[in-house]
Amino acid sequence: AQSVTQLGSHVSVSEGALVLLRCNYSSSVPPYLFWYVQYPNQGLQLLLKYTTGATLVKGINGFEAEFKKSETSFHLTKPSAHMSDAAEYFCAVSDGPGNQGGKLIFGQGTELSVKP
Amino acid sequence: EAGVTQFPSHSVIEKGQTVTLRCDPISGHDNLYWYRRVMGKEIKFLLHFVKESKQDESGMPNNRFLAERTGGTYSTLKVQPAELEDSGVYFCASSQVFRNEQFFGPGTRLTVL
């Protein structure tokens, strides 16, 4: 079975400060890991993903995440927060691509607020 | 290219009524997924279609929920009869075969009174 835990349902940072959103996962098979973002009144948008290969993955809007197998973590970071980053962020895990299943198991979500 | 679309965006119904949600995936995407987020909780998987076949329906809460994907194009999710605990946001997502990136629709917010 797979599961995801996001530490902190609400995170508040100042504009220009480091953004760090924490995600830990549990998986009995090599995981596929994702970060999605949901802006108000919109659907989920993929920020970045890890499947295989390089453990540091870069995504859109300056975000990146590092897969650390020994820590079962996939934390999301951005060096400098912008007001437009205010949204809800979801970490998710799956067991493979769509032909093998591919259903996403989500964490509880983290609401990011950015103060001016 | 059009994204995943869902209809309606909002639905308010009385307990005991029937509601049908529709999802139109991205053209050419054989994989179609339904998810639900009940207020205050995580987004949960409901089921997965590959073309018109149900690949995995392990997340369907009970037999009041019926999903179909006739012809392997759009999908419907019917709730009959609706209960208060069915309230939430229902998301649809699609992906290409052998690909792991799922594209999400904006969701349907269902309120059962």
Side-chain angles (χ1 to χ4, degrees), chain A residues 32 34 36 38 41-44 46 49 51 88 90 96-104 106-109, chain B residues 31 33 35 37 41-43 45 48 50 55-56 58 91 95-106:
Chain A
Y32 287 54
F34 305 82
Y36 281 86
Q38 185 181 25
N41 301 316
Q42 295 186 28
L44 280 73
L46 182 68
K49 63 181 179 181
T51 53
E88 190 163 18
F90 298 92
N99 59 307
Q100 300 169 10
K103 69 182 181 187
L104 294 170
F106 285 90
Q108 301 91 325
Chain B
N31 291 307
Y33 303 83
Y35 297 88
R37 190 181 195 192
K41 299 202 172 180
E42 69 270 26
I43 300 169
F45 166 80
H48 170 207
V50 178
Q55 177 86 356
D56 180 356
S58 61
F91 292 103
S95 70
Q96 294 177 301
V97 176
F98 306 118
R99 299 298 297 273
N100 48 59
E101 179 176 352
Q102 295 182 25
F103 295 83
F104 281 76

Side-chain angles (χ1 to χ4, degrees), chain B residues 2 12 59 69 74 76 101 106:
Chain B
V12 180
R69 192 182 182 195
Y74 71 91
T76 58
E101 179 176 352

Side-chain angles (χ1 to χ4, degrees), chain A residues 43-84:
Chain A
L44 280 73
Q45 179 182 4
L46 182 68
L47 271 179
L48 49 79
K49 63 181 179 181
Y50 169 80
T51 53
T52 59
T55 56
L56 181 63
V57 292
K58 296 185 184 297
I60 61 172
N61 301 337
F63 284 93
E64 62 182 38
E66 186 171 11
F67 169 61
K68 292 187 177 181
K69 184 178 178 180
S70 61
E71 299 178 7
T72 61
S73 69
F74 191 57
H75 301 331
L76 181 71
T77 60
K78 181 175 180 177
S80 176
H82 191 272
M83 296 296 290
S84 61

Side-chain angles (χ1 to χ4, degrees), chain B residues 24-81:
Chain B
D24 286 77
I26 293 172
S27 178
H29 283 196
D30 287 341
N31 291 307
L32 188 149
Y33 303 83
W34 283 98
Y35 297 88
R36 176 175 74 171
R37 190 181 195 192
V38 172
M39 189 165 59
K41 299 202 172 180
E42 69 270 26
I43 300 169
K44 285 197 169 181
F45 166 80
L46 296 178
L47 87 159
H48 170 207
F49 284 99
V50 178
K51 296 186 179 179
E52 67 274 10
S53 300
K54 292 177 184 174
Q55 177 86 356
D56 180 356
E57 51 185 328
S58 61
M60 294 288 264
N62 50 60
N63 59 11
R64 295 185 294 103
F65 289 74
L66 175 63
E68 295 181 324
R69 192 182 182 195
T70 306
T73 54
Y74 71 91
S75 174
T76 58
L77 180 65
K78 182 162 73 172
V79 185
Q80 179 182 31

